[in-house]
Amino acid sequence: MLVDTRWSAWGEEIEVQVTEAAALSAAVGRVGRMLDEVEAACSLQRGDAEIHAVNLAQGLPVRVSVRLAGLLRSALWVARMTDGSVSPVAIEEPPTGVPSIHPEPTFADVQIDDDTVLAPWGVSFDISDTAKADTADRAAELVASELECGVLVRIGGAIATAGHCPAGGWQVTVPGDGGIELPAGASMSSVSAGRVFHGREALSGEWDQVSVVAGDALWAYAASSAAIVRGLGAVPWLEQHDLAARLVDNSGRVYTTRSWSHPHAA
């Protein structure tokens, strides 16, 4: 029997569905604890978050927890996979009259060696969105493994599934398009143009909403966010990566990639 619950955390709506009613309470506890730990590691809205030590280091190496190191690696992986379209790095603008840094550092200049992070001077990180998608993946895998049930975890627009799925697959909502079916192990992310990406508005003037189905929520988030940023070049880029995607432009017209087949978008 499929059961679910929802609550709010870290500025997002959280949803957990499990295929075994007896597992719901334990699943919620595990997801909630993981969210708390990740938020404490990297939320810029928390004054005690560990990420602040990294952002204040400014060219000096800083040791971090295993969790934060992993989250930073995931964010840098997203940057590499999207050719920098979705980057965790923000560059501090120099004061008026002061020449900018030449060359300007990028995500490729960040080094992580075990638990030590070294970023160039002027670089700061915002990894909240990638961390949420990454946490959806990890939380779903943890619940499925430890509680031996099928599970869906949604954190905002990022959805991850693990374990066996209910009859008929996981039914999820695509903004503006009703429901689709996700098979076992599939993930989806929906991103709107109004979302702020690491200190800048990702407004290309083309897409209002992008939904992507992929093998994990982190890649789905990366691809949907990159599509918003890439504008007209998004569709061939998504096709190149053989991703199932639905894009809505600013006039409400809908475009889909070859891999998107409603209602089974995977």
Side-chain angles (χ1 to χ4, degrees):
M1 179 178 68
L2 187 64
V3 292
D4 71 288
T5 190
R6 303 182 186 190
W7 73 96
S8 294
W10 199 358
E12 304 285 5
E13 183 178 73
I14 315 300
E15 180 179 8
V16 174
Q17 297 183 29
V18 292
T19 55
E20 306 294 336
L24 182 61
S25 178
V28 168
R30 284 165 169 77
V31 174
R33 283 192 296 274
M34 185 175 288
L35 268 171
D36 289 343
E37 291 168 0
V38 173
E39 184 180 6
C42 68
S43 173
L44 295 179
Q45 281 65 54
R46 286 186 53 154
D48 61 346
E50 189 181 0
I51 192 74
H52 294 299
V54 179
N55 288 341
L56 291 171
Q58 293 301 299
L60 297 174
V62 57
R63 295 186 65 181
V64 299
S65 66
V66 172
R67 183 174 298 277
L68 182 56
L71 293 169
L72 285 166
R73 286 191 179 94
S74 292
L76 293 172
W77 177 86
V78 165
R80 290 193 299 273
M81 291 296 292
T82 61
D83 300 317
S85 295
V86 185
S87 173
V89 168
I91 308 300
E92 182 178 329
E93 294 293 333
T96 303
V98 177
S100 60
I101 301 171
H102 296 287
E104 186 175 272
T106 71
F107 69 88
D109 297 309
V110 178
Q111 301 176 40
I112 304 179
D113 183 10
D114 291 331
D115 61 352
T116 300
V117 179
L118 177 61
W121 186 91
V123 166
S124 62
F125 295 95
D126 179 354
I127 63 172
S128 293
D129 287 334
T130 53
K132 291 171 183 177
D134 189 55
T135 300
D137 285 325
R138 295 177 187 275
E141 291 175 4
L142 177 70
V143 170
S145 173
E146 294 191 353
L147 302 181
E148 298 182 347
C149 64
V151 59
L152 176 149
V153 175
R154 179 174 64 85
I155 302 176
I159 299 171
T161 69
H164 59 274
C165 64
W170 296 103
Q171 301 300 314
V172 300
T173 300
V174 177
D177 191 40
I180 64 168
E181 176 191 321
L182 287 182
S187 300
M188 186 180 81
S189 175
S190 296
V191 175
S192 65
R195 190 90 182 191
V196 176
F197 291 84
H198 314 304
R200 60 187 176 89
E201 289 285 346
L203 297 175
S204 67
E206 186 64 29
W207 307 116
D208 180 63
Q209 185 85 37
V210 178
S211 298
V212 173
V213 174
D216 58 74
L218 185 63
W219 180 217
Y221 164 77
S224 54
S225 299
I228 293 283
V229 174
R230 285 174 175 268
L232 287 172
V235 175
W237 183 82
L238 291 164
E239 294 282 16
Q240 176 187 344
H241 289 281
D242 195 27
L243 288 165
R246 178 182 184 272
L247 306 90
V248 183
D249 70 13
N250 290 322
S251 298
R253 293 183 292 256
V254 176
Y255 301 79
T256 59
T257 61
R258 290 188 297 270
S259 298
W260 183 279
S261 54
H262 190 84
H264 304 287

